Amino acid sequence: MSYRPTTRSKNKRHRPDDNELVNSQVLRKIHSTGQVTEEDVNQLYMIWKPICQGCRVNTKDNPNCFCGLVPPSNGSRKCGLWQKMSEIILSLGPDPSKDLRDSTNSPAGLTNLGATCYANSILQCLYMNRAFREGVFSVEPEVLKEQPVLNQLARLFAQLHASKMSFVDSAPFIKTLELDNGVQQDSHEFLTLLFSLLERCLRHSQVSKARTIVQDLFRGSVSHVTTCSKCGKDSEASSKIEDFYELELNVKGLKSLDESLDDYLSVEKLQGDNQYYCESCAIRVDATRSIKLRSLPAVLNFQLKRCVFLPKTTTKKKITSAFCFPGELDMGYRLPELSQSELIYDLSAVLIHKGSAVNSGHYIAHIKDEKTGDWWEFDDEHVSKLGKHPFGEGSSQPAVKSVQSEPVIHSSSSVPMDATASGNSMGASQPKCSESNSVNSVQIFSSSDAYMLMYIQRHSKNGDRKAQMECCGVEMENHSGIALENGVSLPSHLSEEIEQLNLSYLDACKQYKSKKELELNVINDRRQEVRQVLSQASVQSPEEAYFWISTDWLRHWADNINPSAIDNTPIQCTHGKVPVSKIGNVKRLSAKAWTMLFSKHNGGPALSKDDYCADCLVEGARSMVSADSFRDRRTAMKELAEAALAGKCLDGPLYYVSKAWLHQWLRRKNIDAPCEADAGPTASIRCPHGELMPEQATGAKRVLVPESLWLFFYETANTVKPDDASGCSTFPSDTAPCALCSTELSEVACLEDSLREFKMKQRQNHEKLALGKSVPLFAGQKYYLLPTSWLSKWKSYIAASGKSASSSAEPESLSNAIDLMKCEKHSKLLERPPELMYKRGVILQKSSNTDGFTIISENDWKLFCEDWGGAEKECISAEIEVSSCMGDESMGVSSDLPISEEHMNAHDEANGETETKQPMVKTFPEVCNYCIGERESCELMKKLNYCNEDICVCFIRGKEPPRSILEASGNFLEQDRRTSKRSRKTTFGNSINFNVSGSTSIYQLKMMIWESFGVVKENQILHKGSRVIDGESATLADVNIFPGDTLWVTDSEIHENRDIADELSDQKMEVQQEEGFRGTLLTSNISSQVV
């Protein structure tokens, strides 16, 4: 069984051990003799303790312990010299050599600036096309200076071509195009706009290969042919040739590239109401319409239309079905003019969009190196080799696969024109010719994320592609004669710039390497130094010389890579030596170890074996003896103090001290010397006149103590504060209290008695108002209105007594309170009179804290005027008017009841009575409806313009909400009412508090409810009370939803549930559709040329 250290007495008070007792005896001996011997030093400075071996932490009470200053051989620390080497290297900053490119044969990546993966993928596809890259490099330097876009593109391509770094910063090019690097865009749209911009920029070049490089490589042509079924002639518009840079193919419902091409070139029949008007026949006739390819570019791009519009939800969705495409594509039989020749294209790039949403996701590109035939994956900064397979050798990704197709037969025989036009002519279904057919095995690839396919025309075995196409009578858009050759060299102006960048980068790698080696050497040398010094640190024999050194500096030296000079000043006393009080902060270092430290770090001062402070030892011995004497005296005085508080018979002269002070003195622990709390034993019983305070005064309670105890108090108080005579005044037992203070206390007592009588008289004169009882009202009698706020202050004032009387403020004069209830402009009332209720034959005032006035009797009014400064001419009188429908019913006097609506409602409900008649109050002066209306309008506007307030929404699972919810949602809550912010689960459903503002729309509130309760916004039926809240565009203020309101919502379950992320994604998509590339250089009509 392993030993487990106990922690039971961890927090208990430390008991003195044998060593402390020995030290105490040594100090007493020093105090008595005044001499310090070597044995005394060995004992007090703990030199006698053995050298510590293997403790976990550095022990403070052993100057011979050097453990714990360094970690074990296999250990480390979080910072400093003994930090892990990997973390130290990490603190030097990023290693630039990690970004070193393996070789120029391995492509480089492009940095993603946030959401620029769409641009990176397209730029990599263009760069990896050697012909396009060579055309960009051939642009003249002077043209590049005038065209910022071309200049940045050429520099970007040059860095991708010859940079030593494994990735290139795309920021200069992105900033030149003024793109928002935080917004994801469509790669197809970016490529289309980029081609258009590059064509405009390249017009300024005089190099033919560069000027038309975009058209020569990427431009093809089509025509929309309409043929009359009666006369067989084509329409005039059929001869119109239109250019294209990519073919946009449908994917929905189609499984392969061949099917999509067939769909693209399919024949549409124009019949019935959709008949075509033939100018040759001069009548509307049946016709056919189709797209015909007229010429194909050297680089054929297919844009797969994976984004479809959903009319039901008015949103867009991505098609993620698998789509097959071949590694080798024969387009010859799809050209009417080239039906007898092969036009073979090889797959060169696949642009992939990862993710299920249209407006988000991530773009990567798989591109084939034309020189080596290897495929590479370009994922922003990361470029990885895939081998000879576009999706990697032995790819097991669920989204991609490759299958070996059946042998594809390319026929050199003629193919019927109608078969080609109808789109039914597939490679595997072409007629076979035993003599001239060639059988090839074509790989078919499948992907559910492929977004764009790029094919490059294969070189002819017999000669130049252009010459072959001209022999076949096909016009190809390659007038510059660019051949897709292997070698591409950088022009001199770009080569010099790249060489300079590479030199700077290699120099940074070299500097980092040197810095790293230097830092590691310094650390290793320092670690070796620390271990070597500590191995020699212990003093082996009593006769050996040694030096004292600060433990704090020693830790600093052992933990830091670059320690400061030796600093022993913190362990010195005023005499410049080592006092015994610092023994827990010093170590005893051998002379050899001290020499090694001092020679390297200097500093000091050097404190040798004999530099112990004898003066401090003598002074410490005296202090200890004095402390023991003080503790003994205080213990004896404590018994006298307890007897004095107990009132036991005391002999001899007696003196007054503060009773509260004496209690505090007894509660303090037994200390070694007087402290601040020992001052002022009579401060609280001394009056401002310097005499004894009367005992009736607040805090002047006192107690008599014997003369010996008083002398001890006086001595210790003067020791702490010798100049504070007021806090230690002497008051013998026969001292008379101060006459002036006694007189003042008597006057205050008289005033308090007078005020107590006045309050009692107020409560007697206005008994019902003071107790809050209801006052029966009668028609035809005269009453008065009193401000409710003033009456509340009056109640608090007359009810306050004792200590609370001082905190209760006296109400203002009645005249001022009434003036505040009248408007200055019209001298009419600013508050409406209180509402009345007629129940059980008695007219009573409704109880409401919001009423501005309270009805009082004429007698109450007169008494208030006498006591509180009211005037008859300033009064607000009132009369009760009862409608004639009440008849001559008797109005008896009710028994006294508290003014409580709940109390009266309870009686009425118990008796089954319900009265609907409402008596009215007529006031003089009248109510100012104009001023009240303006004030209420301002209050309503202020209430509607709230911000960051809470409302409660309850989700009701049943058909009807409980009555408590209806009442809470139908009424306004007080502004100061506190509401819980937690989600509460009840029998009828859940309730949650939402933080909203007056400008929050109903749509935003429904989205919060959707997120919290999982009810789609279309299924939410939102209520406030019995009112249904419709629409989504209105704000909470528009529909009178205020802070503290309780709403309830039910689930109609009409629409099917969907993820809230789809709704948020659709919102973001709509914003992006509106913006797109608007505001960038890609959509600017002005020239990109530098002015």
Side-chain angles (χ1 to χ4, degrees):
M1 182 175 178
S2 62
Y3 170 73
R4 183 177 181 181
T6 178
T7 58
R8 183 174 299 173
S9 58
K10 177 180 177 182
N11 296 320
K12 288 187 178 180
R13 188 175 179 182
H14 175 67
R15 295 181 179 179
D17 55 13
D18 294 339
N19 185 51
E20 290 183 358
L21 295 175
V22 173
N23 288 348
S24 177
Q25 293 174 2
V26 171
L27 289 173
R28 290 181 184 277
K29 180 178 77 70
I30 293 174
H31 178 69
S32 61
T33 62
Q35 300 293 325
V36 180
T37 64
E38 185 176 354
E39 289 77 12
D40 297 339
V41 173
N42 288 340
Q43 174 62 38
L44 296 176
Y45 282 80
M46 293 184 284
I47 296 173
W48 59 271
K49 288 198 172 184
I51 298 172
C52 187
Q53 298 290 340
C55 66
R56 295 185 60 187
V57 293
N58 191 261
T59 306
K60 281 189 174 183
D61 59 356
N62 186 354
N64 302 316
C65 175
F66 294 93
C67 302
L69 292 176
V70 296
S73 57
N74 59 345
S76 63
R77 289 180 177 167
K78 292 183 178 180
C79 59
L81 179 64
W82 304 98
Q83 194 178 4
K84 290 181 179 179
M85 280 297 188
S86 58
E87 296 177 357
I88 293 176
I89 294 173
L90 191 64
S91 66
L92 300 177
D95 185 358
S97 61
K98 290 184 177 180
D99 302 329
L100 185 65
R101 197 169 175 178
D102 295 337
S103 69
T104 53
N105 293 327
S106 60
L110 289 172
T111 56
N112 190 334
L113 306 179
T116 56
C117 56
Y118 67 94
N120 290 348
S121 301
I122 293 297
L123 291 172
Q124 291 285 15
C125 290
L126 295 179
Y127 166 76
M128 291 295 287
N129 188 301
R130 293 197 302 276
F132 183 78
R133 184 168 73 236
E134 186 178 25
V136 172
F137 287 158
S138 64
V139 178
E140 307 93 308
E142 54 273 12
V143 175
L144 294 179
K145 292 179 181 179
E146 296 175 355
Q147 303 295 327
V149 174
L150 274 180
N151 183 36
Q152 291 298 337
L153 183 64
R155 294 176 67 186
L156 183 69
F157 278 10
Q159 292 182 64
L160 289 172
H161 187 72
S163 173
K164 294 291 185 181
M165 293 187 67
S166 60
F167 60 86
V168 176
D169 185 12
S170 61
F173 182 72
I174 298 298
K175 290 180 180 178
T176 303
L177 292 179
E178 300 176 9
L179 298 178
D180 186 351
N181 56 19
V183 178
Q184 179 75 284
Q185 302 284 10
D186 181 67
S187 61
H188 167 237
E189 184 181 2
F190 173 74
L191 178 61
T192 303
L193 295 174
L194 181 62
F195 277 163
S196 178
L197 179 60
L198 291 178
E199 283 183 344
R200 296 199 303 270
C201 296
L202 289 168
R203 291 173 188 167
H204 302 278
S205 175
Q206 300 301 318
V207 180
S208 58
K209 180 172 64 172
R211 187 171 58 252
T212 58
I213 185 65
V214 176
Q215 299 91 318
D216 293 341
L217 287 178
F218 301 99
R219 187 174 69 182
S221 60
V222 297
S223 61
H224 297 268
V225 179
T226 304
T227 305
C228 177
S229 299
K230 186 175 182 181
C231 65
K233 294 183 179 180
D234 295 339
S235 65
E236 292 183 5
S238 301
S239 59
K240 183 180 178 180
I241 305 297
E242 298 179 4
D243 294 334
F244 72 87
Y245 290 85
E246 67 279 318
L247 297 178
E248 297 186 34
L249 305 181
N250 290 324
V251 174
K252 187 177 182 181
L254 304 172
K255 297 180 180 179
S256 66
L257 181 61
D258 280 338
E259 290 184 11
S260 294
L261 283 170
D262 291 341
D263 175 73
Y264 182 77
L265 300 173
S266 62
V267 176
E268 178 188 2
K269 294 182 179 181
L270 304 179
Q271 298 173 340
D273 295 337
N274 199 27
Q275 280 188 324
Y276 160 70
Y277 180 81
C278 180
E279 295 182 356
S280 299
C281 302
I283 57 172
R284 299 183 68 85
V285 295
D286 292 345
T288 58
R289 178 182 295 168
S290 63
I291 297 175
K292 289 189 178 181
L293 300 173
R294 296 303 182 185
S295 63
L296 294 177
V299 181
L300 183 57
N301 292 333
F302 296 110
Q303 175 62 37
L304 306 182
K305 297 166 68 174
R306 288 194 176 272
C307 179
V308 295
F309 181 76
L310 303 177
K312 289 185 178 180
T313 59
T314 66
T315 58
K316 288 186 177 181
K317 181 180 179 181
K318 179 185 175 183
I319 298 174
T320 57
S321 58
F323 187 81
C324 298
F325 48 92
E328 173 186 311
L329 180 65
D330 183 6
M331 293 295 291
Y333 67 92
R334 297 190 183 275
L335 283 171
E337 294 85 353
L338 198 63
S339 59
Q340 296 184 359
S341 301
E342 290 184 354
L343 191 56
I344 307 300
Y345 284 85
D346 293 315
L347 182 66
S348 65
V350 181
L351 188 70
I352 295 172
H353 175 265
K354 294 182 176 180
S356 59
V358 174
N359 62 300
S360 59
H362 182 59
Y363 287 97
I364 64 172
H366 292 190
I367 308 174
K368 182 181 180 180
D369 189 333
E370 300 174 26
K371 182 178 180 181
T372 63
D374 292 327
W375 283 84
W376 298 82
E377 181 183 75
F378 294 84
D379 187 357
D380 294 328
E381 297 93 341
H382 307 287
V383 180
S384 53
K385 191 173 183 180
L386 300 175
K388 301 299 181 180
H389 191 288
F391 296 102
E393 300 292 345
S395 174
S396 60
Q397 301 179 38
V400 298
K401 64 179 182 178
S402 64
V403 293
Q404 194 72 19
S405 73
E406 293 294 328
V408 177
I409 303 165
H410 303 299
S411 175
S412 60
S413 61
S414 62
V415 180
M417 181 66 67
D418 57 350
T420 304
S422 66
N424 296 326
S425 177
M426 299 292 290
S429 62
Q430 292 182 39
K432 299 180 181 179
C433 181
S434 58
E435 296 180 358
S436 59
N437 288 349
S438 60
V439 179
N440 295 321
S441 181
V442 178
Q443 277 192 316
I444 303 296
F445 307 107
S446 175
S447 171
S448 58
D449 288 325
Y451 192 64
M452 189 178 77
L453 305 175
M454 184 176 289
Y455 285 84
I456 294 181
Q457 186 182 358
R458 186 183 298 175
H459 288 292
S460 172
K461 296 180 180 179
N462 299 326
D464 185 78
R465 177 180 68 90
K466 180 181 177 183
Q468 181 187 8
M469 302 317 298
E470 287 177 349
C471 293
C472 297
V474 181
E475 180 186 357
M476 299 302 296
E477 298 293 334
N478 194 12
H479 302 297
S480 63
I482 294 178
L484 304 181
E485 298 176 352
N486 294 337
V488 178
S489 60
L490 288 178
S492 58
H493 63 281
L494 292 175
S495 178
E496 293 174 0
E497 180 180 348
I498 300 303
E499 185 177 356
Q500 189 63 37
L501 289 174
N502 288 337
L503 288 175
S504 300
Y505 171 67
L506 294 176
D507 184 58
C509 294
K510 185 178 180 181
Q511 290 181 7
Y512 180 87
K513 184 179 180 181
S514 301
K515 180 181 177 182
K516 176 182 173 182
E517 291 177 353
L518 178 63
E519 187 74 11
L520 294 181
N521 289 336
V522 169
I523 290 172
N524 289 327
D525 292 344
R526 279 281 298 120
R527 290 182 176 181
Q528 185 178 358
E529 174 201 344
V530 171
R531 293 190 184 277
Q532 184 179 1
V533 170
L534 292 180
S535 66
Q536 303 290 332
S538 302
V539 182
Q540 302 296 330
S541 64
E543 296 79 14
E544 185 180 349
Y546 61 84
F547 288 82
W548 298 105
I549 192 167
S550 168
T551 305
D552 291 338
W553 184 88
L554 202 60
R555 287 198 183 98
H556 163 78
W557 163 80
D559 281 341
N560 287 274
I561 300 174
N562 298 306
S564 60
I566 299 174
D567 184 13
N568 276 339
T569 54
I571 64 172
Q572 285 183 296
C573 65
T574 56
H575 309 106
K577 297 190 176 184
V578 181
V580 71
S581 59
K582 297 288 185 178
I583 193 60
N585 301 320
V586 298
K587 295 296 176 184
R588 202 165 66 104
L589 199 66
S590 68
K592 184 176 181 181
W594 168 261
T595 304
M596 294 169 63
L597 283 177
F598 187 76
S599 62
K600 188 163 186 178
H601 301 286
N602 297 316
L607 300 172
S608 65
K609 175 180 180 180
D610 299 327
D611 284 330
Y612 62 87
C613 188
D615 294 336
C616 290
L617 278 176
V618 173
E619 179 63 25
R622 188 195 62 79
S623 298
M624 188 204 72
V625 172
S626 176
D628 289 344
S629 174
F630 181 80
R631 279 196 301 271
D632 295 340
R633 287 184 64 196
R634 196 177 190 281
T635 302
M637 292 299 113
K638 190 173 182 181
E639 295 177 359
L640 292 177
E642 289 172 348
L645 281 174
K648 294 181 179 179
C649 184
L650 302 174
D651 298 330
L654 303 176
Y655 295 85
Y656 285 116
V657 295
S658 170
K659 191 174 185 179
W661 181 90
L662 188 58
H663 277 292
Q664 293 291 337
W665 184 85
L666 283 171
R667 280 197 289 267
R668 288 199 299 274
K669 294 180 179 179
N670 203 3
I671 55 178
D672 297 339
C675 63
E676 288 285 335
D678 289 328
T682 58
S684 61
I685 63 173
R686 183 180 185 272
C687 75
H689 311 104
E691 298 184 17
L692 185 63
M693 181 80 75
E695 197 165 6
Q696 296 81 6
T698 305
K701 298 294 182 182
R702 47 185 174 263
V703 65
L704 287 169
V705 298
E707 185 177 19
S708 58
L709 180 58
W710 165 248
L711 291 175
F712 178 78
F713 288 158
Y714 187 85
E715 179 186 344
T716 54
N718 281 325
T719 302
V720 175
K721 291 184 178 180
D723 300 328
D724 185 19
S726 61
C728 198
S729 301
T730 303
F731 296 116
S733 58
D734 57 352
T735 305
C738 178
L740 293 175
C741 292
S742 298
T743 304
E744 289 177 1
L745 286 173
S746 299
E747 292 175 354
V748 170
C750 291
L751 290 174
E752 289 179 351
D753 292 340
S754 176
L755 182 60
R756 196 177 298 109
E757 281 184 29
F758 174 75
K759 291 183 178 180
M760 178 70 71
K761 184 179 178 182
Q762 289 285 300
R763 290 195 292 269
Q764 292 174 353
N765 291 341
H766 311 280
E767 183 179 1
K768 291 186 177 181
L769 291 176
L771 296 176
K773 292 183 178 181
S774 61
V775 179
L777 306 174
F778 302 94
Q781 289 191 11
K782 187 175 182 180
Y783 295 96
Y784 291 85
L785 298 183
L786 204 63
T788 302
S789 59
W790 186 91
L791 192 61
S792 298
K793 292 181 181 178
W794 173 81
K795 288 180 182 179
S796 300
Y797 178 70
I798 66 170
S801 61
K803 293 182 179 180
S804 63
S806 59
S807 61
S808 178
E810 181 179 336
E812 60 184 328
S813 68
L814 199 53
S815 297
N816 292 340
I818 291 175
D819 287 341
L820 293 175
M821 304 302 289
K822 297 178 182 179
C823 63
E824 296 180 1
K825 188 174 182 181
H826 310 99
S827 297
K828 295 183 179 181
L829 301 184
L830 288 173
E831 295 285 348
R832 293 187 175 88
E835 295 183 5
L836 304 179
M837 55 185 177
Y838 180 73
K839 294 186 178 181
R840 294 185 294 172
V842 180
I843 301 174
L844 299 172
Q845 177 181 344
K846 280 188 177 180
S847 174
S848 176
N849 295 328
T850 59
D851 283 344
F853 291 110
T854 299
I855 302 175
I856 64 173
S857 66
E858 187 174 7
N859 183 54
D860 285 330
W861 167 254
K862 289 179 179 180
L863 293 175
F864 275 135
C865 288
E866 292 176 5
D867 297 331
W868 298 99
E872 181 68 25
K873 61 180 180 179
E874 297 174 352
C875 70
I876 304 173
S877 61
E879 289 184 2
I880 310 300
E881 293 184 351
V882 182
S883 58
S884 57
C885 64
M886 294 179 64
D888 297 329
E889 297 175 0
S890 61
M891 301 182 188
V893 179
S894 70
S895 60
D896 293 342
L897 296 171
I899 302 179
S900 171
E901 185 177 357
E902 290 80 2
H903 183 78
M904 288 181 283
N905 287 343
H907 280 285
D908 292 339
E909 290 173 3
N911 298 329
E913 300 177 8
T914 304
E915 296 289 352
T916 59
K917 299 174 184 178
Q918 291 290 335
M920 304 297 293
V921 179
K922 186 177 181 181
T923 64
F924 306 95
E926 297 177 350
V927 174
C928 187
N929 291 318
Y930 177 80
C931 293
I932 292 176
E934 278 195 345
R935 185 190 67 204
E936 290 178 348
S937 177
C938 292
E939 290 176 354
L940 180 61
M941 290 301 296
K942 186 177 180 180
K943 197 172 185 181
L944 291 174
N945 292 331
Y946 60 90
C947 184
N948 294 329
E949 299 289 347
D950 286 338
I951 63 170
C952 180
V953 177
C954 301
F955 176 45
I956 307 300
R957 292 191 175 86
K959 294 183 178 180
E960 293 293 335
R963 181 179 174 183
S964 59
I965 295 297
L966 283 174
E967 291 176 352
S969 60
N971 300 324
F972 294 135
L973 294 177
E974 295 92 353
Q975 287 185 342
D976 297 333
R977 179 175 176 181
R978 298 179 62 186
T979 56
S980 173
K981 296 186 178 181
R982 296 182 302 166
S983 173
R984 299 181 298 277
K985 192 170 184 180
T986 60
T987 55
F988 54 82
N990 291 347
S991 64
I992 294 180
N993 278 14
F994 294 109
N995 190 263
V996 296
S997 302
S999 58
T1000 302
S1001 65
I1002 301 298
Y1003 173 81
Q1004 291 171 321
L1005 178 60
K1006 287 189 174 182
M1007 291 298 290
M1008 296 180 193
I1009 296 172
W1010 187 354
E1011 184 177 6
S1012 300
F1013 295 123
V1015 181
V1016 298
K1017 63 183 182 66
E1018 292 84 2
N1019 288 347
Q1020 294 176 23
I1021 304 176
L1022 195 61
H1023 303 76
K1024 180 181 178 181
S1026 58
R1027 176 168 60 93
V1028 177
I1029 301 173
D1030 295 322
E1032 293 183 351
S1033 59
T1035 63
L1036 300 187
D1038 294 338
V1039 294
N1040 293 331
I1041 296 178
F1042 303 105
D1045 280 355
T1046 299
L1047 311 180
W1048 56 284
V1049 65
T1050 57
D1051 186 358
S1052 67
E1053 300 182 355
I1054 297 175
H1055 302 276
E1056 64 180 13
N1057 290 329
R1058 67 179 194 278
D1059 195 344
I1060 192 173
D1062 296 335
E1063 177 77 12
L1064 298 175
S1065 176
D1066 293 342
Q1067 294 176 19
K1068 186 176 179 181
M1069 181 184 67
E1070 291 171 4
V1071 173
Q1072 291 185 355
Q1073 283 179 338
E1074 293 176 1
E1075 296 297 330
F1077 288 97
R1078 185 183 303 170
T1080 68
L1081 204 60
L1082 292 172
T1083 56
S1084 176
N1085 292 325
I1086 63 173
S1087 173
S1088 63
Q1089 186 173 358
V1090 176
V1091 179

